[in-house]
Amino acid sequence: MATEAKAGNAIWETVKTVVYALLIAGVFRTLFFQPFWIPSGSMKETLLIGDFLFVNKMAYGYSYASCPSLMLPGIGINVDAEDVCGWAKGDNDRIWGGDPERGDVVVFRHPVSGRDYIKRLIGLPGDKIQVKNGVVIINGTPVELKPDGVFEEIAEPQGPQGSPPRCENGPVGLGGICEKSRQIETLPNGVSHSILNIGNQSSDHTGIYSVPAGHYFFMGDNRDNSSDSRLPQSAGGVGFVPYENLIGRADRVMFSSAGRSMLFFWTWRSDRFFKGV
């Protein structure tokens, strides 16, 4: 009997340890950092498909969007942040709110679909944003652009989705070199980052966007391969993003894998481990 009691106690202690660990992990993810895996090439070359990072939730404070989502369709789990914290949605405010800065790379919740997106903050509340011939104009002044050579990558399926890259040098056969023109863009507050160009398209020529109070305007660094604020929500884009939909700031890549799974160690990009964003 004593042996059975000890075994029962051991099982109970194990269960408690697992429960406590899950609670601690949940609190950590909700309050401090949220893991994010880069699924698309819209932020190349700043972020590559397969980069893994933690989003700093403390940077902008907390809103309903700070609650984590847990989506595991394979086993029927689909818990959305709004399901847990939807009661806090609607006032476009935050607890201990901090103001994002132009040039921040931000993870935010799409205003319509609820999916998590990651883009660069270009327009602040009250700004007037326009793109002419591929050049961003902020409040009537074009941003500074400097040529910076060519970004090259292998034309091959990338990431779990197996998506091939788009190339400026035309259709490229499997295994060929895919090229994109690279420029250094400097925003009015001095933040500089690289942007990529694929070709001349409609998103390089836009009207003037007037960013409403309490909203933000985002763009991808891979400018011709990004669904962002240049396209309104009614057309499937991002549009203006409310303050309460910001989740956090991306500061550093922790891990990176070029393969279809992080378990394929031969595809790890060790040069990107702990790389600043």
Side-chain angles (χ1 to χ4, degrees):
M1 295 291 293
T3 301
E4 292 179 359
K6 288 182 178 179
N9 289 336
I11 293 173
W12 175 239
E13 289 299 322
T14 300
V15 170
K16 287 197 297 183
T17 299
V18 171
V19 170
Y20 291 152
L22 290 174
L23 287 173
I24 292 171
V27 170
F28 183 85
R29 179 176 177 181
T30 301
L31 294 181
F32 303 112
F33 298 95
Q34 176 172 317
F36 191 84
W37 191 277
I38 304 300
S40 75
S42 69
M43 282 296 293
K44 289 178 182 177
E45 68 179 314
T46 304
L47 296 170
L48 303 181
I49 297 175
D51 282 350
F52 178 81
L53 48 86
F54 283 102
V55 179
N56 181 359
K57 289 188 172 185
M58 297 177 287
Y60 310 134
Y62 305 95
S63 71
Y64 88 97
S66 303
C67 283
S69 299
L70 182 59
M71 298 182 184
L72 301 172
I75 56 177
I77 296 177
N78 186 3
V79 180
D80 186 76
E82 193 169 344
D83 297 331
V84 181
C85 298
W87 55 270
K89 182 182 178 182
D91 59 3
N92 201 25
D93 204 358
R94 310 181 71 86
I95 299 173
W96 302 315
D99 293 328
E101 297 182 5
R102 199 190 310 274
D104 284 357
V105 176
V106 180
V107 172
F108 58 87
R109 181 180 171 88
H110 190 286
V112 176
S113 71
R115 292 177 56 194
D116 290 350
Y117 275 55
I118 185 165
K119 305 288 181 185
R120 189 175 298 277
L121 175 55
I122 298 296
L124 302 175
D127 280 347
K128 294 188 181 300
I129 308 293
Q130 186 176 21
V131 182
K132 280 188 176 181
N133 298 317
V135 180
V136 176
I137 300 171
I138 302 177
N139 297 323
T141 303
V143 300
E144 179 185 338
L145 286 176
K146 292 183 178 179
D148 191 42
V150 175
F151 172 78
E152 296 183 349
E153 58 185 337
I154 302 298
E156 61 184 359
Q158 298 180 347
Q161 299 175 355
S163 303
R166 293 179 59 204
C167 311
E168 186 179 16
N169 55 328
V172 176
L174 187 65
I177 301 298
C178 176
E179 298 180 349
K180 300 176 181 66
S181 298
R182 178 172 53 211
Q183 295 173 300
I184 300 298
E185 179 179 81
T186 301
L187 299 175
N189 60 343
V191 173
S192 295
H193 52 272
S194 65
I195 61 171
L196 303 181
N197 179 70
I198 296 171
N200 185 27
Q201 55 189 50
S202 60
S203 57
D204 293 324
H205 315 275
T206 75
I208 297 175
Y209 305 93
S210 297
V211 185
H215 290 71
Y216 296 89
F217 188 96
F218 290 92
M219 296 177 68
D221 289 350
N222 191 4
R223 290 289 159 81
D224 295 336
N225 193 38
S226 175
S227 175
D228 50 39
S229 293
R230 288 171 289 179
L231 193 64
Q233 295 159 15
S234 59
V238 170
F240 302 121
V241 178
Y243 180 47
E244 67 177 347
N245 281 44
L246 307 186
I247 295 174
R249 185 181 65 218
D251 293 327
R252 189 169 298 276
V253 175
M254 304 303 295
F255 173 83
S256 184
S257 173
R260 296 181 67 90
S261 169
M262 64 181 296
L263 300 179
F264 297 171
F265 63 87
W266 57 91
T267 66
W268 291 358
R269 307 183 186 104
S270 58
D271 61 321
R272 296 187 64 79
F273 290 9
F274 310 110
K275 180 180 176 64
V277 174

